[in-house]
C-alpha cells in the first residue's frame, strides 16, 4: 500500500498547534519522519501537533498495527 505524508511548514516566530483532520487520523498514528527543530526528538504524533518556531515537519501516517510493531 501507499504511504500518506503530511508536510507542515511553519515560518512564524511562535510555536503553533496543528489539529490533524479527523478523517485522516481515525484509527491511525502519525510519526515524524523529518523535523528541522533541534529540540525535536523522535515522537509519534496524534490528533494535535505542536509545531516549533520556524520549522518543517514531515509526518507519515501509519496504522495502529504498524506503529506498535
Amino acid at each position: 500500500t501507499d504511504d500518506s505524508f503530511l508536510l507542515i511548514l511553519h515560518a512564524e516566530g511562535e510555536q503553533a498547534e496543528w489539529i490533524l483532520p479527523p478523517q485522516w487520523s481515525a484509527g491511525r498514528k502519525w510519526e515524524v519522519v523529518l523535523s528541522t527543530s533541534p529540540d525535536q526528538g523522535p515522537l509519534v504524533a496524534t490528533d494535535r501537533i505542536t509545531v516549533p518556531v520556524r520549522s518543517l515537519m514531515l509526518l507519515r501516517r501509519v496504522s495502529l498495527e504498524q506503529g506498535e510493531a
Side-chain angles (χ1 to χ4, degrees), residues 27-41:
R28 305 272 184 162
K29 290 198 276 187
W30 292 87
E31 63 183 12
V32 177
V33 176
L34 175 68
S35 177
T36 57
S37 172
D39 329 299
Q40 191 70 38

Side-chain angles (χ1 to χ4, degrees), residues 6-39:
L6 176 64
L7 177 62
I8 299 173
L9 300 170
H10 181 55
E12 289 290 323
E14 296 180 12
Q15 73 179 18
E17 184 175 89
W18 288 68
I19 300 172
L20 297 173
Q23 66 271 23
W24 290 6
S25 301
R28 305 272 184 162
K29 290 198 276 187
W30 292 87
E31 63 183 12
V32 177
V33 176
L34 175 68
S35 177
T36 57
S37 172
D39 329 299

Side-chain angles (χ1 to χ4, degrees), residues 1-68:
T1 63
D2 292 330
D3 287 337
S4 296
F5 291 91
L6 176 64
L7 177 62
I8 299 173
L9 300 170
H10 181 55
E12 289 290 323
E14 296 180 12
Q15 73 179 18
E17 184 175 89
W18 288 68
I19 300 172
L20 297 173
Q23 66 271 23
W24 290 6
S25 301
R28 305 272 184 162
K29 290 198 276 187
W30 292 87
E31 63 183 12
V32 177
V33 176
L34 175 68
S35 177
T36 57
S37 172
D39 329 299
Q40 191 70 38
L43 62 93
V44 175
T46 55
D47 291 343
R48 294 179 183 266
I49 298 173
T50 300
V51 181
V53 299
R54 297 181 185 88
S55 64
L56 170 146
M57 292 178 78
L58 179 62
L59 307 175
R60 182 174 70 95
R61 187 176 70 174
V62 295
S63 69
L64 291 176
E65 295 79 30
Q66 288 176 319
E68 295 171 354

